[in-house]
Amino acid sequence: MLRRRTAAVVAVFASLVGGAAHAQDAQTERAPDTMQARVLACAACHGAKGEGTDNDYFPRLAGKPAGYLYNQLIAFRDGHRQYPPMNYLLAYLPDAYLHRIAEYFASQRPPYPPASTPAIPASLLSRGQQLAKRGDPSKDIPACASCHGAALTGMEPAIPGLLGLHADYISAQLGAWRYGTRKSYAPDCMHEVASRLTNDDITAVAAWLAASPGPANPAFAPAGSLKMPLRCGSEPQ
């Protein structure tokens, strides 16, 4: 298993930095040297256009603001966000190239997957909707929509959309924010928010977001159009 994974990582890295090559009719023929061809290396995990795959832990990239995607690529490359395959793949890629990758996926608009039906009680799903749309003032928890937009499609330059993701992925990320295994620039607003959520809250909001259909208009909100309830180091003021 480790040998196969290592071979896959090497193959993906080679594709990212130079474009894939293949043999045809005893001649070597190179794929077009375009971003579309190069980012096909990401397709096995994230889909050909960044739409996400059936694996719960490989998220949708398409249509997220380029600033957010760039921040995540930098975090993986520099080891601030830990997932060894991504850390290895990005280790030697320069900032300018990571910008190009981020801009490519930010420009993609593949269809959203069908909304999933969560196997949780209706009361918990209702709690998830409350947290996503209105928050919980009694616990000083802001609504997801207050930062990620009314349509939950994100805001430029660096706040991501939340739809089209698996519940397990959302839950895992909220847990990582809560315990500090995923971090952002200080002040780390997502750590603050996640620290105020109970386990049931995380289950509820993750399930409700995963069960929500894709937005009619996937465009993210313009920069500065939302009044942030917390200071976030990743989002310029």
Side-chain angles (χ1 to χ4, degrees):
M1 176 66 72
L2 178 60
R3 183 176 299 173
R4 290 199 300 270
R5 179 174 292 181
T6 301
V9 166
V10 171
V12 173
F13 179 76
S15 178
L16 275 172
V17 298
H22 64 88
Q24 184 176 357
D25 298 329
Q27 296 180 347
T28 300
E29 185 176 305
R30 292 193 177 276
D33 189 14
T34 63
M35 284 307 297
Q36 183 178 12
R38 290 189 180 192
V39 300
L40 285 177
C42 309
C45 296
H46 295 283
K49 293 186 176 181
E51 68 272 23
T53 58
D54 288 339
N55 187 303
D56 287 354
Y57 295 99
F58 295 145
R60 179 185 180 93
L61 305 178
K64 287 183 166 60
Y68 170 78
L69 295 174
Y70 175 72
N71 285 347
Q72 303 318 303
L73 291 169
I74 289 288
F76 280 122
R77 186 196 65 185
D78 296 348
H80 302 304
R81 188 172 175 186
Q82 292 293 323
Y83 179 60
M86 288 291 292
N87 302 135
Y88 300 149
L89 291 175
L90 300 174
Y92 301 105
L93 298 185
D95 291 0
Y97 193 23
L98 297 184
H99 267 299
R100 292 179 63 193
I101 295 173
E103 288 165 0
Y104 175 84
F105 282 114
S107 70
Q108 300 304 301
R109 295 292 185 273
Y112 280 79
S116 59
T117 302
I120 65 172
S123 59
L124 207 55
L125 197 61
S126 178
R127 172 65 173 170
Q129 182 179 29
Q130 174 197 344
L131 291 169
K133 292 193 169 185
R134 302 184 301 279
D136 187 342
S138 70
K139 296 184 177 180
D140 204 20
I141 300 172
C144 301
S146 62
C147 296
H148 296 269
L152 300 171
T153 52
M155 181 176 72
E156 294 184 293
I159 297 181
L162 300 179
L163 302 179
L165 301 170
H166 296 284
D168 285 346
Y169 174 79
I170 299 171
S171 178
Q173 297 312 302
L174 288 171
W177 287 117
R178 176 203 277 176
Y179 295 114
T181 54
R182 181 174 177 181
K183 301 177 182 179
S184 190
Y185 301 107
D188 192 341
C189 55
M190 278 304 303
H191 172 68
E192 290 185 47
V193 172
S195 297
R196 300 168 191 171
L197 299 173
T198 66
N199 289 341
D200 279 351
D201 287 342
I202 289 176
T203 297
V205 74
W208 187 84
L209 289 170
S212 299
N217 179 4
F220 19 74
S225 61
L226 300 173
K227 184 178 180 180
M228 304 285 286
L230 297 170
R231 290 188 63 241
C232 289
S234 59
E235 186 67 15
Q237 297 295 309

